[in-house]
Amino acid sequence: MLLTSRLGTMVSLAVTTLWISTLALLCTAGVEARLGEEHAIGQGLQDKIDAKEFLAFSQLRRLAVEFFDHYSNLTLMDLRPGNQDARIPSAQDLQCLADFALLTKDLSNLKVWAIKMIDSWGNLPAGLVVGNWWDLGNFDECLSIDHVDVTTTRHVRGKYCFAKILPAPSISKAVVIKTALCLPASCSAINMDTLLRRLFQTLLNVEIGTEVEIVDEATCQTAESKSYDGLTIFTIVLLSILAAAVGLSTCYDYFISRDEKSLPPVVRAFSARANSRALFRLVDTKSNPNVIDCLHGIRCLSFIWVVFCHDYLVFAISPNINMGYVLTWINSVFSLFVKHGVYAVDSFFFLSGLLLVVIALRSMDRTKGRINIPMMYLHRYLRLTPLLAVAILIYMKILPIIGSGPLQGDVNFDDYSCCKDTWYLTLLYVQNVATNELCISHSWYLAVDMQLYIFAPFLLIALYRWGRKAAAGIFVLMLLLACCLFSIMVINDLSLGAQGNESMRKLYYATNTRASPYLIGLLFGYFLHLNRGRVFRLSPLVVLVGWMVSLSLLATCIFAVYGQNTLPIVEEAFYVTLTRIAWPLGLCWVVFACMHGYGGMASELLSSPLWQPISKLSYSAYIFHMFIESLNASITRTNTYFSDYQVMLRFWSDFGFTMLLAYLMHILVEAPFAHLESLLLPAKRPNPRPVGLPRDAPVAGGEASVQEDLVKSSLVKEDALMEGSAPA
């Protein structure tokens, strides 16, 4: 065929070029030292590559041409797996054979639909040595194929799949090449796997073991839309009802109501106008010296850090043409800000404990230490859970619908299909200890903080009754939990960077190993409570020393292990344990200095009122930021290039759409349900207004209102922010 001849010529040119570049590589590189498996993804092709092996493999660069040349006369025997020669062909096998025969015939006649089928295949990617291991082909071209056979009136549609190929036995199994295939939709992944297995055996004289799955049905997609199941329909109906309620309430607010005070409570709960007015209202924090206004900035910057780090992790598993560069980048100074983004988690735990104590003890002073613990738990659960429940539905059912693309399901942090089995564990906030299959993995923080919150009232009661003695006991408890973390790592020889679920479950998700920053926040909050209203007059030298110590602690946490890819387990245990104490200690001075006028430029930045809207959206933004990152990664149609600048470009788009989606979910779910919760569980609010709360905060009074203050002071709505799942 003319087409085959021309493509064959291109194959020869590609082989010659690759032969020269391979010889140059082997002559200059020599024998490389074998690196750890954790760096294999950035290593590219490893040492001791057999030149003949690699040359033979490179001859498959035009894989579609080789495939259709080899199977120009496909038979049922070709479709049968090698160990099933006696198997009776199924109706699906017969249909695949018929569609393939029609494809071969129309390909020889240069019919457009057949050419599109072969044209949409991926090639064996150029640049294997520098880490280009993907070729996405043309996803939309393949799925657009819908040819009607005039003799049978049957539709022949395209089916897009990925084939996983190991270049040669001498190359690390971490280097798996993925290239796109396009065949009739009637052919199953098993059919494609069988055909490719025999093709490679014929052309390369290499028999691929049955344990290697070349084509997986999970990677295959067709244009045929699947009917929505009951849960998908329920999700769409639920979101539609919420949108209708918001739309009608907003229209009533805008066109009928005379002022905000005359709005009915339910209308006010769903009105986008009223909720937006509250969201974007800037409070003058300087009007009350007891308000810790710098926490808004710390919270927002920490959230930005989280999104930035997660963008790097998503980008690192994307189809980059220069994965070999990752090995160089991962040893750079800048990469430390990504690898140690885990300290954003400790910032949130610190803020959560701090805010809880500062507001709770003031409320307990007014009620003589009385707190209604069951009501406190109920308030918190009702504030956090509605948005989380809706998020589970959206991740599980809406993301697959709108995130169609060649990489759908391949570049996500999570397999959201597991939500059908573990959703209830997430809503009970026990997913971090009850399962390894987390539904929304970055929700582990909610579980840990909820479990710490369950114990917090007893610590509050102890601080109120026994004061400094209780504070000393909490300090000892914090040290014991730190020793527990150290012992777990050393005794079990368990590294935080170890592969598998055990290190995540015991070191990253575990409540006991995450308690140190929370308890330090409690103790620092108690210090602020004891010294509320006191004016601290510090000399410039003391202020300078304070900032130097604080910045040294924070910098040590990030830069102390620069240049160390691995550490002995004892050294790593010391590092992990001590930095979880050092980081919140460094933040203590930042908060203290900003509160008492010693923050300088840091205080001006962190205390800016412009952080307030983002801070109020922080919970919703945290829940849905991975939705935007997964969506944008899934719809990628071409290979990407990994660099700090490219990730920065992706970050700003992801962050911008995250905030837009967070605003939408805030007015659809978070704000309405928060208003409804306050209607169902009203709190008495007599005068006078307590000291230490913003002017627009509700006046506290009675046991029920104490609990509302506790809820608003911790991780709900605007007073805390969550961190994602994967270690940075």
Side-chain angles (χ1 to χ4, degrees):
M1 293 185 298
L2 179 60
L3 177 63
T4 304
S5 176
R6 291 179 178 176
L7 292 178
T9 303
M10 296 176 65
V11 170
S12 300
L13 292 174
V15 169
T16 303
T17 304
L18 186 62
W19 169 250
I20 296 173
S21 61
T22 303
L23 286 179
L25 174 71
L26 294 175
C27 291
T28 57
V31 179
E32 301 288 343
R34 187 176 293 260
L35 300 177
E37 190 65 24
E38 66 273 11
H39 291 148
I41 194 169
Q43 184 178 354
L45 302 178
Q46 288 191 357
D47 55 327
K48 301 182 180 178
I49 298 178
D50 184 85
K52 294 182 179 179
E53 234 174 40
F54 194 76
L55 178 61
F57 173 77
S58 69
Q59 292 175 346
L60 297 179
R61 187 163 299 279
R62 306 301 298 183
L63 186 58
V65 177
E66 298 283 2
F67 184 89
F68 286 101
D69 271 354
H70 186 74
Y71 291 112
S72 57
N73 295 305
L74 188 69
T75 66
L76 282 175
M77 291 297 297
D78 294 322
L79 292 177
R80 294 175 181 173
N83 58 350
Q84 300 181 18
D85 291 340
R87 181 176 65 88
I88 299 176
S90 63
Q92 179 269 323
D93 290 337
L94 295 175
Q95 189 59 58
C96 175
L97 183 64
D99 289 348
F100 199 95
L102 178 63
L103 171 63
T104 304
K105 173 186 172 183
D106 285 358
L107 186 61
S108 62
N109 294 327
L110 298 180
K111 295 292 183 67
V112 174
W113 80 272
I115 294 177
K116 289 172 66 178
M117 184 79 75
I118 189 174
D119 185 52
S120 59
W121 277 53
N123 300 320
L124 296 181
L128 295 175
V129 176
V130 294
N132 183 18
W133 303 327
W134 292 72
D135 196 308
L136 305 184
N138 195 307
F139 175 81
D140 298 287
E141 183 182 27
C142 178
L143 265 58
S144 67
I145 297 172
D146 187 2
H147 174 69
V148 180
D149 184 4
V150 294
T151 59
T152 62
T153 67
R154 174 178 171 79
H155 289 260
V156 180
R157 297 184 173 89
K159 184 175 186 177
Y160 181 94
C161 301
F162 274 116
K164 294 185 292 186
I165 306 168
L166 186 65
S170 63
I171 300 174
S172 169
K173 289 182 172 57
V175 181
V176 176
I177 295 173
K178 294 184 179 181
T179 188
L181 310 176
C182 186
L183 286 174
S186 58
C187 297
S188 67
I190 296 177
N191 296 144
M192 301 181 195
D193 187 283
T194 302
L195 295 175
L196 286 175
R197 193 179 301 273
R198 288 178 173 167
L199 175 67
F200 293 148
Q201 184 175 358
T202 301
L203 297 180
L204 299 179
N205 196 26
V206 174
E207 184 171 354
I208 302 176
T210 56
E211 71 280 358
V212 178
E213 191 174 33
I214 299 178
V215 182
D216 184 2
E217 191 70 48
T219 68
C220 298
Q221 301 182 59
T222 64
E224 183 179 1
S225 59
K226 299 179 181 179
S227 58
Y228 295 160
D229 59 15
L231 190 57
T232 302
I233 296 174
F234 171 79
T235 303
I236 295 174
V237 171
L238 175 63
L239 294 176
S240 301
I241 292 174
L242 292 173
V246 170
L248 293 174
S249 298
T250 305
C251 291
Y252 183 94
D253 182 8
Y254 192 82
F255 294 106
I256 299 177
S257 176
R258 290 174 298 177
D259 53 54
E260 185 179 1
K261 295 181 180 180
S262 64
L263 282 175
V266 176
V267 174
R268 189 174 187 176
F270 284 94
S271 172
R273 186 187 186 196
N275 289 326
S276 298
R277 189 184 295 116
L279 175 66
F280 294 107
R281 181 184 297 121
L282 300 182
V283 179
D284 184 9
T285 55
K286 295 182 180 179
S287 62
N288 192 324
N290 293 310
V291 174
I292 311 175
D293 50 358
C294 66
L295 298 188
H296 286 295
I298 296 176
R299 182 181 307 118
C300 294
L301 290 177
S302 297
F303 172 68
I304 292 173
W305 192 6
V306 168
V307 178
F308 184 66
C309 292
H310 283 171
D311 262 318
Y312 263 95
L313 295 180
V314 172
F315 216 97
I317 58 178
S318 296
N320 299 304
I321 64 174
N322 61 330
M323 282 301 298
Y325 171 68
V326 176
L327 183 61
T328 303
W329 175 87
I330 206 169
N331 292 320
S332 66
V333 176
F334 185 78
S335 69
L336 296 174
F337 292 100
V338 177
K339 292 188 290 186
H340 296 153
V342 63
Y343 295 118
V345 185
D346 296 337
S347 299
F348 303 141
F349 281 123
F350 168 77
L351 293 177
S352 184
L354 167 63
L355 288 165
L356 179 65
V357 170
V358 166
I359 297 181
L361 290 182
R362 293 174 187 173
S363 300
M364 293 173 70
D365 283 343
R366 296 190 298 272
T367 59
K368 299 181 180 180
R370 294 176 298 171
I371 56 175
N372 187 338
I373 296 178
M375 185 63 68
M376 172 179 165
Y377 294 157
L378 181 60
H379 269 280
R380 182 176 179 79
Y381 187 83
L382 292 178
R383 283 297 181 91
L384 289 179
T385 307
L387 187 67
L388 180 60
V390 172
I392 292 174
L393 294 174
I394 291 177
Y395 274 95
M396 185 168 53
K397 294 301 179 181
I398 303 301
L399 181 59
I401 296 176
I402 66 176
S404 176
L407 300 175
Q408 187 178 54
D410 285 336
V411 292
N412 294 340
F413 265 92
D414 308 312
D415 178 12
Y416 298 115
S417 62
C418 73
C419 288
K420 66 179 183 295
D421 298 320
T422 62
W423 62 270
Y424 64 95
L425 298 175
T426 302
L427 297 183
L428 291 175
Y429 302 98
V430 295
Q431 67 269 34
N432 63 318
V433 294
T435 180
N436 289 327
E437 301 294 331
L438 274 67
C439 174
I440 301 178
S441 60
H442 58 282
S443 68
W444 70 268
Y445 182 88
L446 292 173
V448 173
D449 193 84
M450 178 67 81
Q451 292 156 22
L452 291 171
Y453 188 84
I454 291 174
F455 290 100
F458 307 103
L459 300 179
L460 293 174
I461 294 172
L463 286 172
Y464 181 81
R465 291 186 177 179
W466 297 296
R468 290 180 174 83
K469 293 181 180 178
I474 293 175
F475 178 75
V476 173
L477 175 63
M478 184 269 295
L479 294 180
L480 291 176
L481 290 175
C483 293
C484 177
L485 171 60
F486 180 87
S487 302
I488 290 174
M489 295 184 67
V490 174
I491 294 175
N492 297 315
D493 193 19
L494 192 59
S495 171
L496 190 60
Q499 300 295 320
N501 293 321
E502 186 179 7
S503 65
M504 298 294 289
R505 182 168 52 85
K506 292 184 177 181
L507 302 180
Y508 202 82
Y509 299 150
T511 304
N512 60 302
T513 63
R514 288 291 183 179
S516 295
Y518 190 88
L519 295 178
I520 291 175
L522 286 175
L523 294 175
F524 184 62
Y526 180 66
F527 168 80
L528 296 180
H529 174 74
L530 293 179
N531 294 278
R532 61 189 184 279
R534 178 182 173 184
V535 178
F536 288 85
R537 301 190 182 279
L538 305 179
S539 66
L541 179 60
V542 173
V543 174
L544 177 62
V545 172
W547 275 108
M548 290 182 63
V549 171
S550 174
L551 295 178
S552 297
L553 290 173
L554 299 178
T556 299
C557 294
I558 296 176
F559 300 108
V561 293
Y562 173 62
Q564 302 292 325
N565 292 324
T566 58
L567 290 173
I569 191 60
V570 175
E571 294 182 20
E572 182 181 355
F574 272 116
Y575 173 75
V576 172
T577 302
L578 295 178
T579 53
R580 284 188 178 162
I581 298 175
W583 185 267
L585 287 178
L587 292 180
C588 287
W589 170 259
V590 175
V591 175
F592 176 84
C594 292
M595 286 182 64
H596 294 281
Y598 301 109
M601 294 180 61
S603 180
E604 294 295 326
L605 172 65
L606 298 176
S607 303
S608 171
L610 297 179
W611 294 118
Q612 293 180 26
I614 301 178
S615 181
K616 295 174 184 178
L617 290 174
S618 60
Y619 178 46
S620 180
Y622 166 73
I623 291 293
F624 287 100
H625 79 280
M626 282 306 304
F627 179 90
I628 295 296
E629 293 183 346
S630 298
L631 173 63
N632 289 342
S634 296
I635 63 177
T636 299
R637 264 33 180 202
T638 57
N639 288 63
T640 53
Y641 180 81
F642 182 88
S643 71
D644 293 322
Y645 183 70
Q646 292 295 327
V647 179
M648 186 68 71
L649 293 177
R650 171 71 69 84
F651 160 75
W652 283 116
S653 62
D654 285 352
F655 181 75
F657 280 103
T658 293
M659 299 313 299
L660 291 176
L661 180 59
Y663 170 72
L664 178 64
M665 299 312 299
H666 176 79
I667 62 175
L668 281 180
V669 182
E670 186 181 6
F673 278 90
H675 282 288
L676 294 177
E677 183 262 349
S678 64
L679 294 176
L680 293 174
L681 301 173
K684 298 179 181 179
R685 300 179 183 182
N687 287 322
R689 178 175 298 274
V691 177
L693 294 178
R695 289 182 176 179
D696 63 341
V699 181
E703 294 181 4
S705 64
V706 171
Q707 312 319 315
E708 184 168 334
D709 288 339
L710 297 184
V711 173
K712 290 184 177 180
S713 69
S714 55
L715 241 181
V716 298
K717 198 172 181 180
E718 66 178 80
D719 282 324
L721 180 59
M722 282 45 96
E723 201 277 339
S725 61

